[in-house]
Amino acid sequence: MEEQVGQIWHRFITRLARTEYPEAVVHLDEVRRTVGILFRALGGDGGLRVEAATATHYQTRRNWLQRIAGAAQQVELAWRSTETLCLPAQLALFPETILNRELYLWLAALAAFHPDTVTQQFNWFLANQVATRDILARFPGLRSRYQRLMEATLTLRPDPAHLPPDESVRETAIQAALRDPGSINHYPIAQRQPMAVWLWLHPEPPLLTGKSQPRKDNANVDSGDSDGQSQAAREQRKKKGERTEPPDGKSGLLAFRFESLFTRAEYAKVDRTEDEEEDLAKAQDALEDMDHITVTQAEKKAAVSLRFDLDLPAQEQDDYILEGDILLPEWDWKRGELRNNYCCLQTMITKNAPAVELPQHLRRSARKLRHQFQAVAPLRSWHRHQNEGSDIDLDAWLSHTTDILCGHAQVESGLYRDFRGGNRDLACLLLADLSLSTDAWINNSARVIDIIRDSLFLFSEALHNTDDRFALYGFSSRRRDHIRFHHLKTFKQNYNAATRGRIQAIKPGYYTRMGAAIRHATNLLIKESNSQRLLLLLTDGKPNDLDHYEGRYGVEDTRHAVLQARKKGLQVFCVTIDERAEDYLPHLFGAQHYVLIRKAEDLPKTLPLLYMRLTQT
Amino acid sequence: MSNENTQTPFYLPSGNEIKLFEHAYRHQLPVLIKGPTGCGKTRFVSYMAASLGRPLYTVACHDDLTAADLVGRHLIGSGATYWQDGPLTRAVREGAICYLDEVVEARKDTTVVLHPLTDDRRILPIERTGEKLEAPPEFMLVVSYNPGYQHAFKGMKPSTRQRFVAMRFQYPNSKLEQEVIIGETGISNEQAERLVNLANALRALKGYDLEEAASTRLLVYAATLIHSGLSMVDACRAALVEPLSDDDETIHALMEVVNATFGV
């Protein structure tokens, strides 16, 4: 009963205290693409993802209603980091939908113009004004928009006359700066933070602060976020993060502060090195509740991550290594340089995979696909009775002349012959992602890896009967020194029962160091002399690995590898089943060079057809 | 295929390309022009042909273009066959400039006729008639292609590539592009500046959201529409945004960029 009353009261008072207009709400997802394109068009970095910002703690003056309701302690403001453009997940600040939408666009534009490093409050004040002024000068079309937004914002701001003197002076300055950007150079200091300025970027963006320590690449340090284990937070909001030194494990500290309660949001350097949340769901909940997360690099592996390393098979049970230690470069986008011989790749082949026939459930589809492919197989031949052609069709001409001599009036038609078709000269390398994430179930009966296996089968069946040459490889990785490149079928091998056996034997494991795999596949494919060479990548997620190879680093390295492959005259195309692929694949492959299969079950049947469409000229 | 020989077309150089072309012409070197679509390759060649006073044969290559289309073929008349010269043969006979646009699109057998023409032999053997034409010193072969096209699956063979003096074209810098637009259409300075500003914004999207960058040609189209009285936003939608993408969302976003430049 008490709980219920409390809930009703909470709902009532928060609604009363709310200053937003839920009926005019605009969600980030509705405008994500538009905002992204606008940001890039106005000069923003093309590698940034557009993400929902986390609400950050904001100490400002609240009215009594808000104080009673406990509302308005946090605000969602926009900011830009080296990896992301963070915008509020939703905006309902203004009573009109159109204004909220325009605010999104304005923030994206501002972020494109905003200088990179703004640390102090004063700089924030100045930088936003300067960026606003520059933007309006370069894109005068935004002026009327800014005017509208500015007027709407000013009505939300407090009246300086009702504020204490120091805040009043500052509020006047802010309002003047909004009215005439670039006019106010001095930022008056006041005790509290000013009311959030919605037209500007975040004054203190919650970037990772504190000491960042160099990662020890080969030490036993596990990254907390890996595709295989950690689940993406349910809402894709970023958490405010901070790095700190880990406790050394020797000196424990007992802290008692009777007047305040410890909460999960505070990181106390108490030595609890061994303590770990075992219930993942509970940990997930805690993660979502917290607005400030402190991460540290523990020297010891967490139990959950430990499972991976136990996964590493013993030498004698592992796949047979065909060729070891192929050194490959990796692109470091932060340094902007290619690090030579940075990755080490092993090509391997499954040991003792028994030869198998095509699985029963695929035979029908395979037969159908074979017919389809045969029907479009181009043959190079003389086409006779053509109206235009490189040569005269003597037979046609003879009968035509005879007809005329016999007195039959004939329209001249089809007297030429032409040599056409058959100029298809194509090699395709299919590279399949075999990382541990493919172990996930997509429905009651199949895992991603099963889908990939079926796709490989049907793809091979379809191509087997054409003249197109093809090769199949799979890849996974465990840090930069152990990239596994599985031979399923090379260009020289025939497609037969042994190949099917190897396809049957693929299993998920490890991570996705995509760049290195693409580089090696490129090296294999450029050795083929065919005039058209296609590198087809089949994946279920982003590039990532145990070390620093994640987020933007992985994406940029992969992008570099793809660009290099294109430069060498290869056609690179990606097929993915990752629902979130639209966030990063356009950057990786270009908007026209990937396809997202939303219903993963369809992949096996879609892939050969997709191939057919791709390669038809 | 066309034989253009009217007065000198409008062209503003963005580097030393005119001088380079003249030197190549004087020493009978074939020229390869690389550059994105609509940056002025074709215009440059017709300008050069006019200023050198040579007739120009332009062939837009496509994937069914064979050697016979370039060299010529037998045609059937009443009771007999006649040989008809192709544009390349005609250009060799007349000592004209032959321009093969998007040469990588053509079939591979065209290289057979191009190779003997592009080294020091400068001959065009016509297999079907048994003729062997020697190119006069005025004859010049110019080919162009767009290295940005990735979907074409095609590149130029190194052995063909190495027979040409190559020059690379880019979209002109902002100031020059403004002059080009003004020179072509006569719109005001300020409008041209805004258009170029918009084009540069759209070009930043190449490779991420757009396959191709907005070309100078499209800018000239937009400027033409604006000059003839259409509003800037409408003109840009018709001439810049819609030609660049088919995707609704992208078009919507590009229109936001247009609005940011010109206002609503």
Side-chain angles (χ1 to χ4, degrees):
Chain A
M1 183 63 191
E2 277 165 42
E3 206 171 305
Q4 226 168 11
V5 171
Q7 267 175 6
I8 292 168
W9 164 250
H10 177 75
R11 239 176 277 149
F12 168 74
I13 195 73
T14 41
R15 193 174 316 141
L16 215 59
R18 192 163 49 197
T19 50
E20 297 193 329
Y21 301 88
E23 63 280 358
V25 69
V26 176
H27 293 275
L28 177 60
D29 284 333
E30 298 165 30
V31 293
R32 188 188 291 268
R33 207 171 139 76
T34 312
V35 158
I37 289 181
L38 188 69
F39 175 70
R40 288 186 283 271
L42 267 51
D45 188 340
L48 300 192
R49 277 168 298 145
V50 179
E51 277 199 5
T54 151
T56 45
H57 199 71
Y58 203 79
Q59 194 78 49
T60 183
R61 183 169 289 279
R62 296 181 287 164
N63 63 27
W64 64 272
L65 207 57
Q66 286 171 332
R67 257 178 282 174
I68 293 175
Q73 294 188 56
Q74 294 195 324
V75 291
E76 285 183 11
L77 287 170
W79 74 86
R80 195 188 69 195
S81 72
T82 51
E83 300 219 355
T84 49
L85 165 64
C86 292
L87 295 171
Q90 58 184 55
L91 279 176
L93 208 63
F94 303 119
E96 292 159 53
T97 319
I98 181 105
L99 276 180
N100 288 321
R101 216 183 102 78
E102 288 192 352
L103 181 54
Y104 265 124
L105 298 176
W106 170 255
L107 287 173
L110 188 66
F113 270 74
H114 204 262
D116 264 330
T117 43
V118 179
T119 42
Q120 290 162 3
Q121 288 242 316
F122 174 72
N123 278 346
W124 161 76
F125 186 68
L126 212 62
N128 276 297
Q129 288 187 66
V130 170
T132 307
R133 201 188 52 203
D134 290 351
I135 242 180
L136 296 181
R138 273 228 16 229
F139 292 91
L142 287 171
R143 271 182 214 152
S144 59
R145 212 167 250 196
Y146 178 76
Q147 193 67 26
R148 277 198 300 278
L149 283 172
M150 186 261 291
E151 276 159 17
T153 311
L154 286 181
T155 59
L156 298 178
R157 295 204 70 82
D159 185 354
H162 298 146
L163 290 170
D166 57 339
E167 287 180 45
S168 167
V169 171
R170 188 186 50 193
E171 185 58 35
T172 316
I174 289 178
Q175 295 195 6
L178 280 171
R179 276 201 193 89
D180 185 8
S183 62
I184 312 289
N185 290 328
H186 177 66
Y187 183 63
I189 306 296
Q191 211 179 359
R192 285 168 197 259
Q193 279 183 297
M195 182 184 164
V197 186
W198 293 96
L199 287 190
W200 290 350
L201 298 187
H202 202 295
E204 290 161 347
L207 306 172
L208 284 183
T209 53
K211 286 177 230 161
S212 72
Q213 44 187 155
R215 287 277 182 104
K216 298 160 201 160
D217 265 351
N218 287 319
N220 290 332
V221 182
D222 265 7
S223 136
D225 178 62
S226 53
D227 232 17
Q229 269 301 310
S230 78
Q231 302 153 4
R234 277 181 219 139
E235 286 175 83
Q236 290 239 330
R237 279 165 203 260
K238 295 207 87 167
K239 298 288 174 193
K240 187 171 173 179
E242 177 186 72
R243 276 192 209 285
T244 181
E245 292 287 327
D248 59 9
K250 287 170 197 144
S251 51
L253 166 76
L254 216 56
F256 276 112
R257 280 165 70 205
F258 290 106
E259 68 275 21
S260 86
L261 214 61
F262 269 104
T263 69
R264 279 180 303 212
E266 282 174 36
Y267 176 78
K269 251 189 180 178
V270 180
D271 194 355
R272 304 200 311 175
T273 319
E274 300 299 313
D275 196 4
E276 195 194 338
E277 187 65 74
E278 298 213 335
D279 182 356
L280 274 181
K282 225 163 121 190
Q284 174 92 53
D285 288 343
L287 176 71
E288 275 177 14
D289 286 347
M290 294 197 298
D291 58 7
H292 183 114
I293 290 176
T294 303
V295 290
T296 180
Q297 227 163 13
E299 297 295 316
K300 235 173 217 169
K301 265 174 246 157
V304 185
S305 328
L306 198 60
R307 236 184 62 197
F308 294 124
D309 288 6
L310 292 176
D311 252 355
L312 248 189
Q315 195 84 48
E316 58 269 19
Q317 278 170 13
D318 199 4
D319 297 332
Y320 179 69
I321 294 181
L322 286 174
E323 198 182 345
D325 300 353
I326 299 169
L327 296 178
L328 291 165
E330 186 163 293
W331 176 254
D332 188 334
W333 72 277
K334 275 188 183 148
R335 297 195 200 176
E337 63 175 26
L338 199 63
R339 300 168 85 169
N340 276 325
N341 299 341
Y342 192 71
C343 296
C344 179
L345 180 140
Q346 283 91 24
T347 59
M348 23 184 74
I349 192 160
T350 319
K351 222 188 224 173
N352 309 328
V356 295
E357 284 311 304
L358 189 67
Q360 193 68 44
H361 69 280
L362 292 176
R363 286 192 189 161
R364 242 179 84 95
S365 319
R367 209 164 39 235
K368 213 172 123 199
L369 280 170
R370 271 202 299 270
H371 287 308
Q372 275 174 320
F373 269 69
Q374 265 161 1
V376 297
L379 285 173
R380 188 165 167 79
S381 62
W382 281 103
H383 292 246
R384 300 182 53 197
H385 297 290
Q386 302 294 310
N387 281 328
E388 271 182 39
S390 49
D391 237 336
I392 292 170
D393 185 347
L394 280 176
D395 287 346
W397 187 52
L398 195 63
S399 71
H400 176 71
T401 319
T402 320
D403 280 350
I404 290 177
L405 288 178
C406 295
H408 299 290
Q410 281 276 341
V411 185
E412 276 181 32
S413 70
L415 299 183
Y416 300 91
R417 57 181 195 148
D418 201 13
F419 200 51
R420 275 207 304 257
N423 51 353
R424 184 177 166 107
D425 179 22
L426 193 143
C428 173
L429 191 152
L430 181 76
L431 186 60
D433 178 357
L434 303 180
S435 62
L436 197 64
S437 54
T438 59
D439 206 13
W441 292 85
I442 54 160
N443 57 27
N444 285 332
S445 56
R447 290 172 305 166
V448 176
I449 190 79
D450 302 323
I451 297 292
I452 288 182
R453 186 179 298 123
D454 287 356
S455 306
L456 290 177
F457 273 132
L458 286 186
F459 184 79
S460 318
E461 288 290 328
L463 262 74
H464 178 47
N465 283 321
T466 67
D467 283 340
D468 297 349
R469 306 179 61 233
F470 70 105
L472 307 171
Y473 293 94
F475 76 96
S476 56
S477 70
R478 190 178 154 274
R479 297 215 183 85
R480 65 188 173 103
D481 55 342
H482 189 69
I483 295 147
R484 303 160 66 95
F485 201 79
H486 291 266
H487 278 233
L488 302 173
K489 176 193 172 305
T490 64
F491 281 111
K492 292 206 175 69
Q493 285 168 336
N494 282 328
Y495 174 70
N496 51 27
T499 320
R500 282 192 287 270
R502 282 195 291 274
I503 296 176
Q504 186 67 44
I506 59 168
K507 52 182 185 293
Y510 318 108
Y511 299 89
T512 324
R513 212 175 189 95
M514 219 179 257
I518 291 178
R519 283 192 187 93
H520 186 64
T522 305
N523 293 341
L524 289 175
L525 195 52
I526 51 172
K527 285 190 196 135
E528 300 305 311
S529 57
N530 301 62
S531 63
Q532 302 181 8
R533 289 167 296 188
L534 173 67
L535 174 58
L536 201 59
L537 185 70
L538 194 61
T539 180
D540 69 327
K542 258 187 209 194
N544 94 305
D545 204 341
L546 272 177
D547 48 19
H548 53 271
Y549 202 86
E550 57 187 353
R552 186 153 181 202
Y553 186 96
V555 167
E556 292 290 340
D557 174 53
T558 308
R559 177 176 154 86
H560 187 265
V562 169
L563 290 180
Q564 288 297 315
R566 292 227 171 100
K567 230 177 234 172
K568 289 176 182 162
L570 305 186
Q571 173 82 357
V572 188
F573 196 89
C574 176
V575 181
T576 186
I577 51 172
D578 182 8
E579 295 271 332
R580 300 203 54 82
E582 313 240 299
D583 285 355
Y584 58 92
L585 279 190
H587 178 56
L588 275 182
F589 293 94
Q592 313 291 321
H593 295 280
Y594 74 94
V595 63
L596 166 62
I597 310 275
R598 282 185 199 275
K599 263 178 80 185
E601 308 88 282
D602 290 347
L603 182 66
K605 280 175 204 158
T606 319
L607 185 68
L609 299 178
L610 189 78
Y611 171 83
M612 194 149 84
R613 231 177 43 217
L614 266 183
T615 54
Q616 295 250 301
T617 42
Chain B
M1 297 166 202
S2 59
N3 182 354
E4 306 147 24
N5 202 355
T6 46
Q7 74 253 50
T8 316
F10 173 78
Y11 184 78
L12 285 179
S14 61
N16 65 347
E17 68 264 28
I18 292 182
K19 219 159 134 202
L20 192 63
F21 196 96
E22 281 169 357
H23 281 282
Y25 175 76
R26 215 172 302 144
H27 295 98
Q28 289 132 43
L29 300 174
V31 167
L32 161 69
I33 303 175
K34 301 182 268 188
T37 176
C39 69
K41 301 185 293 267
T42 308
R43 177 60 67 89
F44 170 65
V45 176
S46 46
Y47 169 79
M48 287 313 298
S51 69
L52 291 171
R54 300 310 312 164
L56 174 68
Y57 286 93
T58 304
V59 183
C61 299
H62 52 85
D63 46 3
D64 263 339
L65 186 104
T66 58
D69 292 324
L70 290 179
V71 176
R73 54 165 56 91
H74 279 109
L75 292 179
I76 296 162
S78 52
T81 58
Y82 303 93
W83 172 257
Q84 194 198 28
D85 278 344
L88 184 64
T89 314
R90 230 175 301 154
V92 174
R93 284 193 211 279
E94 291 176 21
I97 294 178
C98 183
Y99 174 47
L100 306 181
D101 197 2
E102 292 300 343
V103 70
V104 284
E105 295 285 338
R107 290 247 202 108
K108 265 185 279 172
D109 63 344
T110 52
T111 53
V112 181
V113 296
L114 293 186
H115 279 198
L117 257 184
T118 45
D119 52 29
D120 57 346
R121 289 175 287 169
R122 283 173 63 86
I123 49 166
L124 176 66
I126 306 177
E127 187 197 334
R128 288 199 174 81
T129 60
E131 243 183 310
K132 198 163 90 181
L133 290 182
E134 294 226 6
E138 297 82 33
F139 169 78
M140 184 180 192
L141 183 70
V142 184
V143 302
S144 78
Y145 79 101
N146 178 353
Y149 279 137
Q150 282 145 357
H151 63 258
F153 260 136
K154 293 168 187 162
M156 213 168 166
K157 268 191 176 170
S159 60
T160 310
R161 216 188 244 274
Q162 290 211 10
R163 291 158 181 274
F164 291 89
V165 174
M167 40 177 107
R168 172 180 285 273
F169 273 45
Q170 277 302 334
Y171 296 122
N173 65 37
S174 303
K175 213 171 149 278
L176 192 66
E177 198 163 28
Q178 277 174 39
E179 283 175 41
V180 170
I181 297 172
I182 295 169
E184 285 275 335
T185 63
I187 59 168
S188 76
N189 231 328
E190 195 230 343
Q191 284 171 320
E193 191 185 333
R194 286 216 212 167
L195 261 180
V196 171
N197 194 11
L198 172 66
N200 287 334
L202 296 181
R203 280 171 195 161
L205 297 174
K206 189 187 173 224
Y208 300 109
D209 306 289
L210 293 178
E211 188 91 329
E212 281 270 300
S215 64
T216 309
R217 176 170 39 216
L218 283 184
L219 283 189
V220 170
Y221 288 177
T224 310
L225 293 179
I226 292 168
H227 192 61
S228 81
L230 218 59
S231 82
M232 294 195 96
V233 174
D234 287 345
C236 287
R237 176 190 273 278
L240 278 172
V241 173
E242 295 284 356
L244 284 176
S245 176
D246 293 327
D247 179 53
D248 276 350
E249 246 182 304
T250 309
I251 287 179
H252 195 75
L254 295 185
M255 280 313 290
E256 290 296 347
V257 182
V258 172
N259 286 338
T261 317
F262 297 121
V264 258

